[in-house]
Amino acid sequence: MGLNLHNIVASAIGAVNPHQTVVLRRFAGWGTDGSGERQALYLPPVAVLAQVQPLPQDKLQFVNAEQNSAIWRQMYLQGDWQGLSRAGESGGDLVYWGGFEWIINPVSEAWGQLAGWTLIVVQAQGRADPPEIPQEDAP
């Protein structure tokens, strides 16, 4: 077990930009509903501490080339979220924050357990209430 760098600086960062709780639903694959239609399956939702920030201009220019009317944010999630990777065929994860459902686009920076955080970029999908977190996982 290594030194968690995020734990060392979290209080200083939180003094400037308070941590917020977001709800994360990890994509678990595909299934079919009662009518035989394909539907996304998700693991139970979990609460995660995050630093939510606007997307920097250089990243915004890149993602706007794809969809210029979309709302984008970046989130520093507490913990090691290596599974949030399209390359690893585990994309499609959802975050609920600020009254919206957000889809995780890329994982911008995955530092592993040593750093204690993962930087993700999210795109708003529409207004949505977060799913209920199972009681044993609530913060």
Side-chain angles (χ1 to χ4, degrees), residues 24-35:
L24 180 69
R25 290 179 69 199
R26 296 182 87 173
F27 180 71
W30 294 98
T32 53
D33 64 15
S35 66

Side-chain angles (χ1 to χ4, degrees), residues 108-128:
S108 292
E109 299 174 12
W111 294 97
Q113 291 184 359
L114 179 62
W117 57 272
T118 304
L119 174 60
I120 61 172
V121 175
V122 295
Q123 178 186 12
Q125 300 299 293
R127 293 207 169 271

Side-chain angles (χ1 to χ4, degrees), residues 44-66:
V46 295
V48 180
L49 285 179
Q51 286 283 317
V52 181
Q53 301 177 2
L55 208 56
Q57 188 64 33
D58 58 336
K59 288 184 183 177
L60 192 57
Q61 288 173 345
F62 174 75
V63 296
N64 274 344
E66 293 180 22

Side-chain angles (χ1 to χ4, degrees), residues 7-137:
N7 284 345
I8 294 171
V9 298
S11 62
I13 294 169
V16 177
N17 183 17
H19 292 82
Q20 300 177 48
T21 300
V22 301
V23 176
L24 180 69
R25 290 179 69 199
R26 296 182 87 173
F27 180 71
W30 294 98
T32 53
D33 64 15
S35 66
E37 293 289 321
R38 185 178 181 194
Q39 71 178 41
L41 302 174
Y42 294 92
L43 297 174
V46 295
V48 180
L49 285 179
Q51 286 283 317
V52 181
Q53 301 177 2
L55 208 56
Q57 188 64 33
D58 58 336
K59 288 184 183 177
L60 192 57
Q61 288 173 345
F62 174 75
V63 296
N64 274 344
E66 293 180 22
Q67 299 173 6
N68 64 5
S69 63
I71 300 171
W72 298 86
R73 294 288 184 270
Q74 65 180 12
M75 296 181 177
Y76 291 87
L77 297 181
Q78 187 174 26
D80 181 16
W81 296 96
Q82 296 293 328
L84 308 179
S85 167
R86 294 228 187 261
E89 297 181 4
S90 59
D93 299 311
L94 301 173
V95 174
Y96 295 84
W97 169 78
F100 284 86
E101 176 182 81
W102 304 78
I103 191 164
I104 297 171
N105 219 311
V107 172
S108 292
E109 299 174 12
W111 294 97
Q113 291 184 359
L114 179 62
W117 57 272
T118 304
L119 174 60
I120 61 172
V121 175
V122 295
Q123 178 186 12
Q125 300 299 293
R127 293 207 169 271
D129 291 327
E132 194 169 312
I133 298 170
Q135 200 58 23
E136 64 272 7
D137 295 331

